Amino acid sequence: MPEHDVKDVRDIVINYHDGTSRKAIVLDREVPYPEGKLIVSRTDTQGVITHANQAFVEMSGYTEDELIGTNHYILRHPDMPSVAFAGLWETIEAGNKWHGYVKNLRKDGAYYWVKATVIPNIRNGVVVGYTSVRRKPSRSKISESEALYKTLS
Amino acid sequence: MTLNLTVSPDFAPDHISGWFIFNTWLQRQLGTGVHLELYDCFDAQRKDIKAGKFDLVYANPFDASMLVRELGFKALVRPISKPDETIIATHKDAAIQSVEDLKPGATLVTTDDPDVNRIGMIMLEPADLDASNTETLAVDSYVIVAKNVLNQNADVGFFLKDAYDELSDLIKNQMKILVSSEISVVHHTLLLSPKLQKYASTIQQRLIKMIDDEKGRSVLESMNLLGWEAMTEEETEFMIDLIDTLIDE
Ligand SMILES: Cc1cc2nc3c(=O)[nH]c(=O)nc-3n(C[C@H](O)[C@H](O)[C@H](O)COP(=O)(O)O)c2cc1C
């Protein structure tokens, strides 16, 4: 990876709640949120991705084929505290809407910040999955979230 | 039987006659009376829709949500290649170059179009702006929004992209676009009331085939539409879920 300063590259192992883990590269490089776009994905009730729009594919750095059928935790950044996601799942499993600021990990190791909203997809009274829509966050909210997440992880 | 039709008040006034031509076309296709009622204000229309006055509604995406989830309407078709996108523009000589240059106290000029206003406010969030720290001047049409931007009565104006594109070059040349949404999956739909569902497939088929004959094509052209495509129930639900995420509460 010649274009990056070696000091900025971290090789890490990410452990997920389901006992699986993977090796990932983490770079201290932010990719700006695409202007005017919404990043959209849908999952089944277990958090496995069933739909991703073009902006999602571009920002994540994965192909659509790599994303569909994969657990959404593929985007989890090690700087994100697990309590944030515990709150997310508790909220949506109770049938409610969740908002939060999320730092996501791209396939190439860079990151991007989003303001995410997740809602349950209710069909005939049954939760069949979840939709997440992300928008561009303000720099001040990103700074606040960075400070908060440091105290939580 | 007479079918009562209404159209979301957010299209350019030049296409009003197109909807009356469509009304006549639909009447012939279905062999039944169709009565078109137009509104110049969203709230009055919404009240009448909720009172059960209409059978067929060409609705903006935010109203579609209410029609489907609260009133049991079903979307039959959507216009081909016509997503609802929002533009935020300012005077070409304004000092601001991006949304993030706007400061609390910024003034906005808007219509009462609910989806453009919501998407517009979302696109102001990167500047930490919301209803509590901005001032909004609501006017009746996008031409008046443009006039207010040109007179610098407001820092920025919100436009439906289609309406912006139809402004004269003289007007557009005096504005600059700060941000233009690229959402692509939020669009108008034509919805049918629950009590007339037995006509759903007939109406849907006629509308989809409209593009196949010359008469149909000329009607579409007068409405500034390319044609209609079918919407499945799941596509409608998907769009409504997405809109739901854009409403903060
Ligand atoms: C619809 C939906 C979208 C999600 N989007 C993200 C996301 O963009 N980034 C992320 O890290 N987690 C996302 N999650 C949460 C993950 O499912 C998971 O809880 C999180 O990555 C933490 O994983 P872990 O508990 O296995 O460590 C999403 C969940 C749902 C239901």
Side-chain angles (χ1 to χ4, degrees):
Chain A
M1 224 160 276
E3 76 266 37
H4 301 297
D5 189 330
V6 182
K7 274 177 297 194
D8 287 345
V9 184
R10 280 192 284 158
D11 271 308
I12 58 154
V13 173
I14 305 179
N15 298 305
Y16 300 113
H17 74 282
D18 59 7
T20 64
S21 64
R22 75 173 175 107
K23 276 200 203 139
I25 326 162
V26 177
L27 303 176
D28 190 16
R29 179 164 64 88
E30 178 166 8
V31 175
Y33 192 99
E35 291 296 335
K37 295 194 184 182
L38 296 176
I39 299 176
V40 182
S41 64
R42 282 216 284 181
T43 69
D44 65 13
T45 53
Q46 304 303 307
V48 173
I49 300 170
T50 55
H51 166 88
N53 75 348
Q54 190 53 33
F56 189 107
V57 171
E58 282 165 19
M59 283 305 279
S60 70
Y62 292 94
T63 65
E64 190 176 355
D65 282 351
E66 285 173 316
L67 291 167
I68 305 296
T70 301
N71 197 296
H72 222 308
Y73 60 46
I74 184 100
L75 295 189
R76 182 179 181 180
H77 198 283
D79 292 351
M80 283 298 295
S82 48
V83 287
F85 295 115
L88 180 162
W89 279 101
E90 195 178 310
T91 306
I92 61 176
E93 281 178 346
N96 298 317
K97 192 184 285 188
W98 180 86
H99 290 284
Y101 293 87
V102 179
K103 183 178 188 175
N104 275 323
L105 179 64
R106 290 164 50 96
K107 186 180 183 181
D108 64 6
Y111 65 89
Y112 57 102
W113 277 96
V114 300
K115 177 182 178 183
T117 304
V118 185
I119 55 154
N121 304 131
I122 299 165
R123 305 287 183 266
N124 304 313
V126 179
V127 175
V128 297
Y130 301 103
T131 296
S132 177
V133 176
R134 296 88 174 169
R135 5 171 159 158
K136 186 177 182 184
S138 70
R139 289 322 301 183
S140 70
K141 295 289 184 199
I142 292 174
S143 308
E144 273 173 38
S145 307
E146 269 175 335
L148 175 69
Y149 295 160
K150 262 184 203 139
T151 67
L152 296 175
S153 39
Chain B
M1 181 187 83
T2 297
L3 243 148
N4 289 298
L5 165 69
T6 190
V7 177
S8 180
D10 52 10
F11 58 88
D14 312 0
H15 306 304
I16 288 183
S17 61
W19 282 98
F20 281 100
I21 298 168
F22 174 73
N23 187 76
T24 308
W25 177 89
L26 193 60
Q27 210 153 242
R28 296 224 176 96
Q29 291 288 315
L30 303 177
T32 174
V34 179
H35 171 73
L36 171 64
E37 192 158 340
L38 296 178
Y39 290 76
D40 46 25
C41 140
F42 285 89
D43 281 344
Q45 185 190 47
R46 210 170 290 140
K47 210 176 284 161
D48 284 351
I49 290 173
K50 283 192 177 173
K53 217 174 143 182
F54 295 104
D55 310 298
L56 205 52
V57 181
Y58 183 63
N60 73 70
F62 279 60
D63 284 346
S65 198
M66 176 260 298
L67 284 159
V68 172
R69 297 259 163 104
E70 289 171 36
L71 302 173
F73 276 64
K74 286 205 172 107
L76 302 177
V77 289
R78 67 169 160 241
I80 291 172
S81 302
K82 209 178 170 62
D84 286 317
E85 304 291 2
T86 297
I87 282 179
I88 300 181
T90 186
H91 193 280
K92 74 166 178 12
D93 298 331
I96 43 177
Q97 300 299 335
S98 73
V99 162
E100 277 93 336
D101 293 337
L102 290 163
K103 295 279 175 293
T107 48
L108 325 172
V109 55
T110 69
T111 64
D112 64 349
D113 188 337
D115 58 311
V116 170
N117 290 348
R118 188 78 273 276
I119 308 280
M121 290 314 287
I122 285 174
M123 294 196 300
L124 291 183
E125 285 176 0
D128 284 318
L129 296 179
D130 58 35
S132 74
N133 61 4
T134 52
E135 259 177 70
T136 301
L137 170 65
V139 299
D140 285 337
S141 73
Y142 289 112
V143 172
I144 305 177
V145 171
K147 281 190 182 141
N148 279 281
V149 171
L150 297 193
N151 294 337
Q152 298 189 285
N153 283 342
D155 294 316
V156 293
F158 288 0
F159 296 87
L160 180 68
K161 184 173 183 299
D162 271 358
Y164 186 90
D165 291 343
E166 288 188 13
L167 294 170
S168 73
D169 287 340
L170 194 68
I171 294 179
K172 277 187 285 195
N173 289 340
Q174 295 179 68
M175 293 196 280
K176 67 181 167 197
I177 294 176
L178 294 178
V179 60
S180 182
S181 75
E182 292 178 55
I183 296 171
S184 79
V185 287
V186 169
H187 46 71
H188 280 55
T189 48
L190 187 73
L191 302 112
L192 184 65
S193 74
K195 56 178 202 282
L196 293 183
Q197 283 308 314
K198 58 176 186 281
Y199 302 107
S201 74
T202 310
I203 300 175
Q204 190 186 49
Q205 285 313 310
R206 296 291 161 96
L207 290 169
I208 292 166
K209 294 206 176 91
M210 207 170 163
I211 198 166
D212 294 342
D213 69 82
E214 209 170 308
K215 179 70 194 135
R217 275 197 299 275
S218 86
V219 176
L220 285 165
E221 209 171 293
S222 63
M223 301 155 80
N224 197 28
L225 300 181
L226 297 173
W228 301 100
E229 57 194 351
M231 262 195 100
T232 65
E233 223 169 311
E234 186 47 35
E235 282 167 332
T236 307
E237 292 289 341
F238 176 77
M239 182 179 88
I240 295 173
D241 279 339
L242 193 145
I243 290 164
D244 206 3
T245 68
L246 303 180
I247 299 167
D248 300 318
E249 65 214 1

